[in-house]
Short mmCIF file of all heavy atoms in Angstrom, two decimals:
data_model
loop_
_atom_site.label_atom_id
_atom_site.label_comp_id
_atom_site.label_asym_id
_atom_site.label_seq_id
_atom_site.Cartn_x
_atom_site.Cartn_y
_atom_site.Cartn_z
N ASP A 1 -31.62 340.52 -3.84
CA ASP A 1 -32.48 339.59 -3.12
C ASP A 1 -31.84 339.15 -1.79
O ASP A 1 -30.58 339.10 -1.71
CB ASP A 1 -32.73 338.30 -3.98
CG ASP A 1 -33.78 338.55 -5.07
OD1 ASP A 1 -34.39 339.62 -5.01
OD2 ASP A 1 -33.91 337.68 -5.95
N VAL A 2 -32.64 338.83 -0.83
CA VAL A 2 -32.12 338.41 0.47
C VAL A 2 -32.60 336.99 0.74
O VAL A 2 -33.80 336.68 0.63
CB VAL A 2 -32.60 339.33 1.59
CG1 VAL A 2 -32.13 338.82 2.96
CG2 VAL A 2 -32.11 340.76 1.37
N VAL A 3 -31.64 336.11 1.10
CA VAL A 3 -31.98 334.73 1.44
C VAL A 3 -31.94 334.53 2.94
O VAL A 3 -30.92 334.83 3.59
CB VAL A 3 -31.02 333.71 0.76
CG1 VAL A 3 -31.39 332.29 1.16
CG2 VAL A 3 -31.09 333.88 -0.74
N ILE A 4 -33.01 334.06 3.56
CA ILE A 4 -33.05 333.84 4.97
C ILE A 4 -33.15 332.34 5.27
O ILE A 4 -34.03 331.65 4.74
CB ILE A 4 -34.26 334.55 5.61
CG1 ILE A 4 -34.17 336.07 5.39
CG2 ILE A 4 -34.36 334.25 7.10
CD1 ILE A 4 -35.38 336.84 5.86
N VAL A 5 -32.18 331.83 6.06
CA VAL A 5 -32.22 330.43 6.48
C VAL A 5 -32.53 330.39 7.95
O VAL A 5 -31.75 330.85 8.79
CB VAL A 5 -30.89 329.76 6.19
CG1 VAL A 5 -30.92 328.31 6.63
CG2 VAL A 5 -30.52 329.86 4.73
N ARG A 6 -33.68 329.89 8.32
CA ARG A 6 -34.10 329.90 9.71
C ARG A 6 -33.52 328.72 10.47
O ARG A 6 -33.21 327.67 9.91
CB ARG A 6 -35.66 329.86 9.79
CG ARG A 6 -36.32 330.99 9.09
CD ARG A 6 -37.81 331.03 9.34
NE ARG A 6 -38.45 332.11 8.64
CZ ARG A 6 -38.48 333.39 9.02
NH1 ARG A 6 -37.90 333.71 10.18
NH2 ARG A 6 -39.08 334.30 8.32
N ASN A 7 -33.34 328.95 11.79
CA ASN A 7 -32.82 327.88 12.66
C ASN A 7 -33.83 326.77 12.84
O ASN A 7 -35.03 327.02 12.91
CB ASN A 7 -32.47 328.46 14.07
CG ASN A 7 -31.27 329.37 14.01
OD1 ASN A 7 -30.38 329.22 13.18
ND2 ASN A 7 -31.24 330.36 14.91
N ASN A 8 -33.32 325.56 13.00
CA ASN A 8 -34.14 324.41 13.32
C ASN A 8 -34.59 324.61 14.79
O ASN A 8 -33.75 324.73 15.69
CB ASN A 8 -33.34 323.11 13.18
CG ASN A 8 -34.17 321.90 13.43
OD1 ASN A 8 -35.18 321.94 14.13
ND2 ASN A 8 -33.73 320.77 12.87
N PRO A 9 -35.90 324.63 15.08
CA PRO A 9 -36.37 324.84 16.43
C PRO A 9 -35.81 323.84 17.46
O PRO A 9 -35.67 324.11 18.61
CB PRO A 9 -37.90 324.73 16.31
CG PRO A 9 -38.17 324.98 14.90
CD PRO A 9 -37.01 324.45 14.13
N GLY A 10 -35.48 322.65 17.00
CA GLY A 10 -34.99 321.61 17.91
C GLY A 10 -33.50 321.63 18.09
O GLY A 10 -32.92 320.80 18.79
N TYR A 11 -32.80 322.56 17.42
CA TYR A 11 -31.34 322.59 17.49
C TYR A 11 -30.88 323.66 18.49
O TYR A 11 -31.44 324.73 18.55
CB TYR A 11 -30.74 322.92 16.12
CG TYR A 11 -29.24 323.12 16.12
CD1 TYR A 11 -28.36 322.05 16.08
CD2 TYR A 11 -28.71 324.42 16.18
CE1 TYR A 11 -26.99 322.22 16.11
CE2 TYR A 11 -27.35 324.60 16.18
CZ TYR A 11 -26.50 323.55 16.15
OH TYR A 11 -25.14 323.72 16.19
N PHE A 12 -29.85 323.32 19.28
CA PHE A 12 -29.27 324.34 20.15
C PHE A 12 -27.76 324.18 20.15
O PHE A 12 -27.22 323.08 19.94
CB PHE A 12 -29.79 324.28 21.59
CG PHE A 12 -29.47 323.02 22.32
CD1 PHE A 12 -28.37 322.98 23.17
CD2 PHE A 12 -30.23 321.88 22.19
CE1 PHE A 12 -28.06 321.81 23.87
CE2 PHE A 12 -29.92 320.72 22.86
CZ PHE A 12 -28.81 320.68 23.73
N THR A 13 -27.06 325.32 20.32
CA THR A 13 -25.59 325.32 20.26
C THR A 13 -25.05 324.38 21.36
O THR A 13 -25.55 324.38 22.47
CB THR A 13 -25.04 326.73 20.50
OG1 THR A 13 -25.67 327.59 19.53
CG2 THR A 13 -23.53 326.77 20.34
N GLN A 14 -24.00 323.64 21.01
CA GLN A 14 -23.41 322.69 21.98
C GLN A 14 -22.84 323.43 23.17
O GLN A 14 -22.10 324.40 23.03
CB GLN A 14 -22.33 321.89 21.29
CG GLN A 14 -21.78 320.73 22.12
CD GLN A 14 -20.74 319.95 21.41
OE1 GLN A 14 -19.59 320.31 21.38
NE2 GLN A 14 -21.16 318.82 20.81
N LYS A 15 -23.24 322.99 24.37
CA LYS A 15 -22.79 323.60 25.62
C LYS A 15 -22.20 322.53 26.51
O LYS A 15 -22.63 321.37 26.49
CB LYS A 15 -23.94 324.32 26.30
CG LYS A 15 -24.55 325.46 25.46
CD LYS A 15 -25.71 326.09 26.20
CE LYS A 15 -26.36 327.17 25.33
NZ LYS A 15 -27.52 327.80 25.99
N THR A 16 -21.23 322.89 27.27
CA THR A 16 -20.57 321.96 28.16
C THR A 16 -20.50 322.40 29.59
O THR A 16 -20.49 323.63 29.87
CB THR A 16 -19.11 321.63 27.70
OG1 THR A 16 -18.35 322.87 27.73
CG2 THR A 16 -19.09 321.13 26.27
N VAL A 17 -20.49 321.42 30.49
CA VAL A 17 -20.24 321.68 31.91
C VAL A 17 -19.11 320.73 32.37
O VAL A 17 -18.85 319.74 31.70
CB VAL A 17 -21.50 321.44 32.76
CG1 VAL A 17 -22.63 322.34 32.36
CG2 VAL A 17 -21.91 319.97 32.68
N THR A 18 -18.45 321.09 33.44
CA THR A 18 -17.36 320.28 33.95
C THR A 18 -17.70 319.79 35.35
O THR A 18 -18.12 320.57 36.20
CB THR A 18 -16.05 321.09 33.96
OG1 THR A 18 -15.74 321.59 32.66
CG2 THR A 18 -14.89 320.24 34.45
N VAL A 19 -17.50 318.51 35.57
CA VAL A 19 -17.72 317.91 36.90
C VAL A 19 -16.36 317.54 37.48
O VAL A 19 -15.59 316.79 36.84
CB VAL A 19 -18.63 316.67 36.80
CG1 VAL A 19 -18.90 316.13 38.22
CG2 VAL A 19 -19.90 316.97 36.08
N GLN A 20 -16.04 318.06 38.63
CA GLN A 20 -14.75 317.84 39.26
C GLN A 20 -14.94 317.20 40.64
O GLN A 20 -16.01 317.30 41.24
CB GLN A 20 -13.99 319.13 39.43
CG GLN A 20 -13.67 319.86 38.13
CD GLN A 20 -13.02 321.20 38.34
OE1 GLN A 20 -13.08 321.79 39.40
NE2 GLN A 20 -12.35 321.71 37.27
N GLY A 21 -13.89 316.56 41.11
CA GLY A 21 -13.87 316.05 42.50
C GLY A 21 -14.33 314.61 42.62
O GLY A 21 -14.05 313.77 41.75
N GLU A 22 -15.07 314.35 43.70
CA GLU A 22 -15.35 312.96 44.12
C GLU A 22 -16.58 312.32 43.44
O GLU A 22 -17.55 311.99 44.07
CB GLU A 22 -15.51 312.93 45.64
CG GLU A 22 -14.30 313.44 46.41
CD GLU A 22 -13.04 312.66 46.04
OE1 GLU A 22 -13.04 311.43 46.32
OE2 GLU A 22 -12.12 313.23 45.48
N VAL A 23 -16.49 312.18 42.10
CA VAL A 23 -17.46 311.43 41.34
C VAL A 23 -16.66 310.31 40.58
O VAL A 23 -15.44 310.41 40.44
CB VAL A 23 -18.23 312.30 40.35
CG1 VAL A 23 -19.12 313.27 41.06
CG2 VAL A 23 -17.25 313.04 39.39
N LEU A 24 -17.35 309.31 40.09
CA LEU A 24 -16.66 308.21 39.45
C LEU A 24 -15.95 308.56 38.16
O LEU A 24 -14.86 308.13 37.87
CB LEU A 24 -17.63 307.02 39.22
CG LEU A 24 -18.14 306.32 40.46
CD1 LEU A 24 -19.09 305.18 40.06
CD2 LEU A 24 -16.96 305.78 41.28
N TYR A 25 -16.63 309.45 37.39
CA TYR A 25 -16.06 309.83 36.09
C TYR A 25 -16.02 311.36 35.94
O TYR A 25 -16.88 311.92 35.25
CB TYR A 25 -16.89 309.19 34.96
CG TYR A 25 -17.05 307.70 35.09
CD1 TYR A 25 -18.31 307.17 35.40
CD2 TYR A 25 -15.98 306.84 34.93
CE1 TYR A 25 -18.46 305.80 35.58
CE2 TYR A 25 -16.13 305.48 35.11
CZ TYR A 25 -17.37 304.94 35.41
OH TYR A 25 -17.54 303.61 35.58
N PRO A 26 -15.08 312.02 36.58
CA PRO A 26 -14.99 313.48 36.45
C PRO A 26 -14.56 313.90 35.05
O PRO A 26 -13.95 313.11 34.31
CB PRO A 26 -13.94 313.86 37.51
CG PRO A 26 -13.11 312.64 37.66
CD PRO A 26 -14.00 311.49 37.45
N GLY A 27 -14.88 315.13 34.66
CA GLY A 27 -14.50 315.62 33.37
C GLY A 27 -15.57 316.49 32.74
O GLY A 27 -16.60 316.75 33.34
N PRO A 28 -15.33 316.92 31.49
CA PRO A 28 -16.33 317.76 30.78
C PRO A 28 -17.48 316.92 30.24
O PRO A 28 -17.27 315.77 29.81
CB PRO A 28 -15.50 318.38 29.68
CG PRO A 28 -14.38 317.43 29.41
CD PRO A 28 -14.08 316.78 30.72
N TYR A 29 -18.67 317.47 30.25
CA TYR A 29 -19.87 316.79 29.69
C TYR A 29 -20.64 317.78 28.84
O TYR A 29 -20.80 318.96 29.18
CB TYR A 29 -20.74 316.29 30.83
CG TYR A 29 -20.20 315.07 31.53
CD1 TYR A 29 -19.27 315.22 32.57
CD2 TYR A 29 -20.60 313.79 31.17
CE1 TYR A 29 -18.77 314.10 33.23
CE2 TYR A 29 -20.09 312.66 31.80
CZ TYR A 29 -19.17 312.84 32.84
OH TYR A 29 -18.66 311.75 33.46
N VAL A 30 -21.10 317.28 27.68
CA VAL A 30 -21.96 318.10 26.82
C VAL A 30 -23.39 318.06 27.38
O VAL A 30 -23.89 317.00 27.72
CB VAL A 30 -21.95 317.56 25.37
CG1 VAL A 30 -22.90 318.34 24.49
CG2 VAL A 30 -20.54 317.64 24.79
N ILE A 31 -23.99 319.23 27.48
CA ILE A 31 -25.38 319.31 27.99
C ILE A 31 -26.31 318.70 26.94
O ILE A 31 -26.29 319.08 25.78
CB ILE A 31 -25.78 320.75 28.29
CG1 ILE A 31 -24.88 321.31 29.40
CG2 ILE A 31 -27.23 320.88 28.70
CD1 ILE A 31 -25.12 322.79 29.71
N ASN A 32 -27.12 317.73 27.38
CA ASN A 32 -27.96 316.99 26.43
C ASN A 32 -29.22 317.78 26.01
O ASN A 32 -29.79 317.51 24.93
CB ASN A 32 -28.40 315.65 27.03
CG ASN A 32 -27.26 314.65 26.97
OD1 ASN A 32 -26.36 314.73 26.16
ND2 ASN A 32 -27.32 313.67 27.86
N SER A 33 -29.73 318.65 26.85
CA SER A 33 -30.91 319.39 26.54
C SER A 33 -30.87 320.79 27.21
O SER A 33 -29.99 321.07 28.00
CB SER A 33 -32.15 318.62 27.01
OG SER A 33 -32.12 318.52 28.46
N THR A 34 -31.83 321.62 26.83
CA THR A 34 -31.83 322.97 27.36
C THR A 34 -32.23 323.04 28.85
O THR A 34 -32.08 324.06 29.49
CB THR A 34 -32.85 323.85 26.58
OG1 THR A 34 -34.16 323.22 26.59
CG2 THR A 34 -32.37 324.02 25.12
N ASP A 35 -32.76 321.94 29.36
CA ASP A 35 -33.19 321.93 30.78
C ASP A 35 -32.51 320.82 31.58
O ASP A 35 -33.08 320.31 32.56
CB ASP A 35 -34.70 321.81 30.86
CG ASP A 35 -35.24 320.53 30.25
OD1 ASP A 35 -34.44 319.82 29.58
OD2 ASP A 35 -36.43 320.21 30.46
N GLU A 36 -31.30 320.41 31.19
CA GLU A 36 -30.58 319.39 31.96
C GLU A 36 -30.22 319.93 33.32
O GLU A 36 -29.72 321.05 33.44
CB GLU A 36 -29.33 318.91 31.23
CG GLU A 36 -28.64 317.80 31.97
CD GLU A 36 -27.78 316.89 31.07
OE1 GLU A 36 -27.42 317.37 29.97
OE2 GLU A 36 -27.44 315.80 31.50
N LYS A 37 -30.42 319.10 34.37
CA LYS A 37 -30.26 319.57 35.73
C LYS A 37 -29.06 318.88 36.43
O LYS A 37 -28.43 317.99 35.89
CB LYS A 37 -31.54 319.34 36.53
CG LYS A 37 -32.72 320.09 35.95
CD LYS A 37 -33.97 319.88 36.79
CE LYS A 37 -35.13 320.72 36.27
NZ LYS A 37 -36.36 320.56 37.12
N LEU A 38 -28.79 319.35 37.64
CA LEU A 38 -27.70 318.83 38.44
C LEU A 38 -27.78 317.31 38.64
O LEU A 38 -26.82 316.61 38.46
CB LEU A 38 -27.70 319.50 39.83
CG LEU A 38 -27.29 320.98 39.89
CD1 LEU A 38 -27.60 321.54 41.29
CD2 LEU A 38 -25.78 321.13 39.58
N SER A 39 -28.98 316.83 38.97
CA SER A 39 -29.14 315.39 39.25
C SER A 39 -28.77 314.58 38.04
O SER A 39 -28.21 313.48 38.15
CB SER A 39 -30.58 315.11 39.70
OG SER A 39 -31.51 315.55 38.70
N SER A 40 -29.12 315.07 36.85
CA SER A 40 -28.84 314.36 35.60
C SER A 40 -27.33 314.28 35.36
O SER A 40 -26.83 313.18 35.02
CB SER A 40 -29.51 315.05 34.42
OG SER A 40 -29.08 314.51 33.20
N ILE A 41 -26.59 315.37 35.54
CA ILE A 41 -25.16 315.35 35.23
C ILE A 41 -24.40 314.50 36.22
O ILE A 41 -23.41 313.85 35.90
CB ILE A 41 -24.61 316.82 35.18
CG1 ILE A 41 -23.43 316.88 34.23
CG2 ILE A 41 -24.25 317.31 36.52
CD1 ILE A 41 -23.75 316.70 32.78
N ILE A 42 -24.85 314.48 37.49
CA ILE A 42 -24.20 313.61 38.49
C ILE A 42 -24.42 312.15 38.15
O ILE A 42 -23.49 311.30 38.27
CB ILE A 42 -24.74 313.92 39.91
CG1 ILE A 42 -24.26 315.29 40.37
CG2 ILE A 42 -24.29 312.85 40.90
CD1 ILE A 42 -22.76 315.37 40.55
N SER A 43 -25.62 311.80 37.70
CA SER A 43 -25.88 310.43 37.29
C SER A 43 -25.01 310.02 36.10
O SER A 43 -24.46 308.95 36.05
CB SER A 43 -27.36 310.27 36.92
OG SER A 43 -28.18 310.48 38.04
N ARG A 44 -24.85 310.93 35.14
CA ARG A 44 -24.02 310.65 33.96
C ARG A 44 -22.52 310.50 34.38
O ARG A 44 -21.77 309.79 33.68
CB ARG A 44 -24.18 311.79 32.93
CG ARG A 44 -25.53 311.77 32.25
CD ARG A 44 -25.73 313.01 31.39
NE ARG A 44 -24.67 313.07 30.33
CZ ARG A 44 -24.48 314.19 29.59
NH1 ARG A 44 -25.23 315.29 29.81
NH2 ARG A 44 -23.58 314.17 28.66
N ALA A 45 -22.13 311.21 35.46
CA ALA A 45 -20.75 311.12 35.94
C ALA A 45 -20.53 309.92 36.83
O ALA A 45 -19.47 309.76 37.42
CB ALA A 45 -20.36 312.41 36.69
N GLY A 46 -21.53 309.04 36.95
CA GLY A 46 -21.37 307.77 37.68
C GLY A 46 -21.75 307.84 39.15
O GLY A 46 -21.63 306.87 39.88
#
């Protein structure tokens, strides 16, 4: 017998980006969604 466990459609593998330089809080950030954009990550970096 074969058991198949399907992925949760709302789940995605954790991904990170790094913000460096002249922002208030530089460092690595986990991407919050599949369509997170530049403006969002800069806001999160202060």
Side-chain angles (χ1 to χ4, degrees):
D1 282 349
V2 177
V3 178
I4 299 175
V5 180
R6 301 187 183 280
N7 290 330
N8 184 335
Y11 174 81
F12 65 96
T13 305
Q14 188 178 82
K15 300 178 181 179
T16 61
V17 299
T18 302
V19 184
Q20 299 176 340
E22 302 303 297
V23 293
L24 291 181
Y25 307 110
Y29 286 85
V30 176
I31 297 176
N32 283 336
S33 63
T34 56
D35 61 350
E36 183 156 20
K37 298 183 177 182
L38 289 169
S39 56
S40 171
I41 208 70
I42 289 295
S43 296
R44 289 172 60 192

